[in-house]
Amino acid sequence: MERPLLLDVADLQTRFHTPEGTVYAVNGISYRLHEGETLAMVGESGCGKSVSMMSILGLIPIPPGEIVSGTARYRDRDLLRMSEEELEQVRGKEIAMIFQDPMTSLNPVLTVGKQITEMLQKHMGMKPAEAADRAVQLLEWVGIPDARRRLADYPHQFSGGMRQRVMIAMQLACTPSILIADEPTTALDVTIQAQIMDLVIRLREEVGMAMIWITHNLGVVAGLAERVMVMYAGFIVEEANVDDLFQDPRHPYTIALLAALPRVDRRRDRRLKSIPGAPPSLLVKPRGCPFAPRCEFVIARCQSEMPPLELIAPRHKIACWVDVLRGGSR
Amino acid sequence: MGRYVARRLLQAVPLLFIISVILFVLMQSIGDPLATMSGRRPTRSADRERLKRQLGLDQPVLMQYVYWLVGNDWTSIDLDGDGVRETRGERKGVLRGDLGRSLKKRQPVLDLIGERLPNTLLLMGTYEMVVLVGAVALGIYSAVRQYSIFDHAVTGVSFVLYSMPIFFIALLSMYLLAVKPKQWGLPYFPTVGMFEPEAGKTVPQVIWHMVLPVLSLSLISLAGYSRYMRSSMLEVLSQDYIRTAKSKGLERRYVLFAHALKNASLPIVTLIGLDLPTLLGGAIVTERIFGWPGMGRLFFDSVSDADTPVVMAILMMVSVAVVVFQILTDVIYAWLDPRIRYE
């Protein structure tokens, strides 16, 4: 039942050259996204989730950013080797992205209508009137009442949740084949979060697009994604189908993350376990496994050699030297 | 918005009144206008008394202010010094558009200003346009090419220019663009006045004569303004909504001008709003160096002669302009930034 491959990212490495030194943000990650598939990318803040997505769309400011190596094949074309003009044709039209904070992600001095129609005019070649009609449809589609009148409103006249709906309507305006959602619910109230999630899931079905959902919230992932990638310090440390990941996590970091997650099906008297230590500084070139200093399964080899991301079960990959089930080296 | 503007205008009335009182009191210590009236020799005391009476300077300060404000045509004044008020006053007062007469030139102040103001508006208007266009272009370019050689060069030159006094730049530009080319037998820019007397006041003549003063004024302001524009633009370019605009596949240029510039221009509008009214007062030093017959020179000469009606008129004019431009700035600001609403 393998669906056609849509996006194939291989060995992506992104660095930032700052006055403090080089930041190793993304250290050679590879993943594939198939048509209609939803992939979740999970990890702590600053582990390179957003940067890895922005890298493939050319949204990293260069300098200070630098994409050191890698390929990102989208429908047989490498996004990382496209010219700016070619990328403009992909961004928003083929691959769209919604962002974390709807308060700051919309331009405060342009009307909502303008921010939606400019896209339709650019990518779909629509005339202004036609684009306005389509914008009204889009806003109604994402559940904004009185849409025609609201076209002339500015972002500050919308609530946070409504703004995120506007953002979604805008980015889905050209029915992209991939939607990258960069923590789109993090800045919202919990009830609004659920509404936005439901909306995105509904729209995903209607458009039939593939999706990459970036989050630091494992709980969000469960009801949404088919496959999950866990990122740590710029590496993908585990990749599996969502059920496998929750029931049979094999990477010590994933195990620790899940132990820190409150669950309804767990006994009440068990305390949530926090992960000791702090994520490593990305200013140091990684040598060995970046999780080793915080890992309870650590062995000598972890300190000196970064384990590759390897298949350990069908459709289940981890980057770890240790077999957590038996203990000791794999 | 209309109500807001009306309220601001009403608030301006007491403000301007207070400003005028303070200025009028300060004018009392500007110097003795009678001292220089008889030319090189000191004015004789008999003449002093007569002049004082005729010019109304014998009155108490309060009365002088009242006459200045509302005129004296409703009362009689004593012109011949016999203690009897027999002559009807002729002044209408500022409130009725009579700014008085110059003590020195004996012409109505309004005529003097009317003669000079267009020259100053021409000079300062051109200068402001040059600065604005140049600063926006330089600022945007430096911001987009942050830390490039161009950006560093502009930063360096800006600091040098910004720290230079205007008289130095003015003299330097004269030296490099007029004195030296003339010595070398090359075409050179004129350094004095608005036109050659034999050529007459023609458009090319005036433009030609404007080059050096506009250049000197612009260089300094351009340095400051372009810095503001650069930092403002840099701040905007790092905002999330610019990233959003890029993620929508909009063209670079379009993102820059349609999404970034409007946001980045907000602080600049405030700056211009504060700057424009002071332009009416002219550029005192520059006009003097280049012999430009504008408000700056009128002001300078009037202060030297203690010609209080002229000085007072110019200062009040600038005050009114400041108030008006403040309101105008607020209106434009609200138009540019929809988040701002005046209730």
Side-chain angles (χ1 to χ4, degrees):
Chain A
M1 59 150 272
E2 192 78 335
R3 289 166 287 193
L5 188 63
L6 201 54
L7 180 69
D8 184 1
V9 176
D11 189 36
L12 176 68
Q13 289 190 48
T14 306
R15 292 174 193 165
F16 290 94
H17 302 287
T18 68
E20 287 78 37
T22 300
V23 177
Y24 296 85
V26 178
N27 300 305
I29 64 167
S30 307
Y31 57 88
R32 290 173 168 197
L33 179 70
H34 299 90
E35 265 176 32
E37 186 180 34
T38 299
L39 199 61
M41 194 176 249
V42 185
E44 303 166 57
S45 308
C47 72
K49 297 167 300 199
S50 303
V51 172
S52 67
M53 288 304 139
M54 278 156 56
S55 297
I56 63 172
L57 285 180
L59 293 176
I60 299 284
I62 298 175
E66 184 197 356
I67 294 172
V68 183
S69 74
T71 54
R73 303 200 73 81
Y74 168 76
R75 294 190 198 278
D76 296 326
R77 289 190 303 162
D78 189 350
L79 295 171
L80 299 183
R81 282 168 189 66
M82 278 188 186
S83 69
E84 187 65 24
E85 288 72 29
E86 288 173 299
L87 263 180
E88 279 166 11
Q89 290 304 317
V90 173
R91 291 200 285 247
K93 191 179 183 190
E94 309 274 338
I95 305 178
M97 196 161 174
I98 52 180
F99 297 97
Q100 179 171 348
D101 192 350
M103 304 288 170
T104 56
S105 296
L106 291 170
N107 196 327
V109 301
L110 300 178
T111 63
V112 159
K114 166 85 177 158
Q115 293 186 59
I116 299 176
T117 52
E118 66 184 3
M119 239 186 140
L120 293 164
Q121 285 172 263
K122 151 103 192 184
H123 291 310
M124 319 292 270
M126 287 188 184
K127 297 267 173 294
E130 194 186 352
D133 289 341
R134 175 85 181 115
V136 173
Q137 284 175 7
L138 285 163
L139 287 181
E140 281 166 354
W141 188 44
V142 298
I144 289 179
D146 202 5
R148 185 161 293 276
R149 196 180 53 80
R150 303 227 69 182
L151 280 188
D153 281 354
Y154 290 91
H156 72 276
Q157 290 160 296
F158 290 80
S159 67
M162 284 295 166
R163 261 183 247 195
Q164 197 59 290
R165 285 171 193 264
V166 169
M167 174 68 112
I168 292 168
M170 185 170 89
Q171 297 289 13
L172 294 187
C174 306
T175 54
S177 44
I178 302 178
L179 177 69
I180 301 171
D182 188 356
E183 309 203 31
T185 60
T186 308
L188 304 172
D189 295 346
V190 182
T191 47
I192 310 291
Q193 279 188 18
Q195 288 175 13
I196 296 291
M197 294 257 316
D198 290 345
L199 173 70
V200 174
I201 292 171
R202 194 193 92 211
L203 301 183
R204 179 185 63 185
E205 308 304 328
E206 291 177 21
V207 178
M209 62 195 170
M211 200 157 84
I212 301 178
W213 189 287
I214 303 176
T215 180
H216 58 243
N217 186 346
L218 267 174
V220 165
V221 170
L224 184 80
E226 292 154 71
R227 281 180 77 70
V228 184
M229 293 181 287
V230 180
M231 267 191 94
Y232 188 78
F235 294 95
I236 293 177
V237 294
E238 180 156 9
E239 184 190 332
N241 288 339
V242 65
D243 295 339
D244 293 342
L245 189 99
F246 277 92
Q247 276 149 31
D248 187 20
R250 293 299 185 85
H251 192 282
Y253 177 62
T254 318
I255 294 170
L257 267 187
L258 287 169
L261 189 72
R263 290 171 74 155
V264 266
D265 55 352
R266 193 152 51 193
R267 282 180 52 197
R268 284 245 182 123
D269 53 346
R270 267 187 55 190
R271 299 194 56 163
L272 297 177
K273 265 177 73 183
S274 64
I275 308 176
S281 163
L282 296 175
L283 281 167
V284 189
K285 192 176 170 75
R287 223 181 115 256
C289 175
F291 190 61
R294 307 168 77 185
C295 181
E296 52 179 309
F297 301 93
V298 64
I299 58 172
R301 197 177 182 186
C302 303
Q303 309 288 356
S304 55
E305 245 184 295
M306 175 64 203
L309 187 67
E310 284 177 331
L311 212 56
I312 51 145
R315 299 176 62 76
H316 195 149
K317 292 179 187 173
I318 61 167
C320 185
W321 295 121
V322 178
D323 184 338
V324 291
L325 298 180
R326 293 187 292 115
S329 181
R330 276 199 282 127
Chain B
M1 181 61 94
R3 286 187 58 176
Y4 171 79
V5 172
R7 204 182 68 219
R8 286 286 300 271
L9 283 171
L10 276 177
Q11 284 170 348
V13 172
L15 179 69
L16 288 171
F17 175 74
I18 294 168
I19 291 175
S20 71
V21 171
I22 293 174
L23 285 178
F24 203 89
V25 172
L26 287 175
M27 282 308 125
Q28 303 307 309
S29 47
I30 195 173
D32 182 5
L34 305 176
T36 55
M37 277 195 176
S38 53
R40 288 171 160 274
R41 285 170 298 125
T43 313
R44 290 176 309 186
S45 44
D47 293 338
R48 279 188 80 89
E49 288 307 313
R50 181 175 50 79
L51 284 166
K52 234 180 168 174
R53 231 178 12 250
Q54 287 172 352
L55 296 171
L57 298 177
D58 57 337
Q59 300 289 321
V61 181
L62 180 67
M63 245 10 244
Q64 287 189 38
Y65 180 75
V66 171
Y67 288 172
W68 176 80
L69 190 68
V70 296
N72 59 3
D73 54 356
W74 47 274
T75 180
S76 299
I77 46 173
D78 177 21
L79 275 186
D80 47 13
D82 58 2
V84 185
R85 294 166 163 264
E86 66 282 274
T87 321
R88 195 90 186 142
E90 282 173 348
R91 292 168 62 181
K92 287 210 183 74
V94 174
L95 289 182
R96 283 181 284 162
D98 177 11
L99 297 173
R101 278 173 183 274
S102 158
L103 301 181
K104 186 85 177 178
K105 303 191 172 92
R106 301 294 165 92
Q107 280 171 279
V109 174
L110 212 54
D111 292 357
L112 283 174
I113 290 180
E115 203 175 284
R116 300 297 188 92
L117 193 59
N119 298 344
T120 276
L121 285 181
L122 180 66
L123 180 71
M124 301 309 265
T126 313
Y127 141 76
E128 189 71 18
M129 288 305 295
V130 170
V131 168
L132 263 187
V133 172
V136 169
L138 271 183
I140 292 178
Y141 199 80
S142 296
V144 174
R145 300 278 155 84
Q146 192 189 9
Y147 303 139
S148 66
I149 293 172
F150 176 84
D151 181 35
H152 285 305
V154 171
T155 306
V157 173
S158 292
F159 276 114
V160 173
L161 290 176
Y162 197 68
S163 3
M164 275 192 195
I166 180 71
F167 65 84
F168 182 74
I169 289 200
L171 294 176
L172 193 70
S173 71
M174 276 185 181
Y175 184 73
L176 291 179
L177 297 173
V179 177
K180 279 288 154 188
K182 191 176 183 184
Q183 279 178 3
W184 296 328
L186 298 169
Y188 58 95
F189 290 104
T191 56
V192 170
M194 281 182 84
F195 52 90
E196 305 294 340
E198 57 269 28
K201 193 173 180 176
T202 59
V203 174
Q205 271 291 321
V206 175
I207 292 176
W208 189 235
H209 278 75
M210 226 158 50
V211 172
L212 285 188
V214 167
L215 182 76
S216 309
L217 284 166
S218 306
L219 280 178
I220 292 184
S221 304
L222 195 59
Y225 266 82
S226 66
R227 294 288 85 190
Y228 278 114
M229 193 64 216
R230 174 182 180 269
S231 64
S232 180
M233 198 69 189
L234 275 177
E235 200 193 313
V236 169
L237 286 178
S238 68
Q239 297 293 316
D240 288 350
Y241 53 79
I242 295 300
R243 187 185 57 188
T244 306
K246 282 185 196 158
S247 80
K248 285 153 74 177
L250 303 171
E251 285 150 44
R252 255 175 75 96
R253 195 174 286 269
Y254 179 86
V255 171
L256 206 57
F257 289 100
H259 281 256
L261 188 57
K262 203 172 167 194
N263 284 287
S265 62
L266 288 171
I268 310 299
V269 167
T270 316
L271 215 59
I272 299 168
L274 291 172
D275 244 25
L276 278 181
T278 58
L279 298 187
L280 292 183
I284 293 172
V285 175
T286 316
E287 286 183 6
R288 194 163 166 77
I289 291 178
F290 288 104
W292 190 267
M295 297 288 287
R297 260 178 83 197
L298 180 66
F299 185 74
F300 184 87
D301 294 344
S302 303
V303 170
S304 309
D305 296 337
D307 197 341
T308 46
V310 184
V311 177
M312 201 55 206
I314 295 177
L315 290 178
M316 278 320 289
M317 193 181 77
V318 174
S319 303
V320 172
V322 168
V323 169
V324 170
F325 274 92
Q326 291 274 309
I327 299 172
L328 212 62
T329 306
D330 287 347
V331 172
I332 293 176
Y333 214 95
W335 174 66
L336 280 174
D337 189 343
R339 284 167 297 183
I340 292 176
R341 280 287 161 267
Y342 305 115
E343 295 312 327

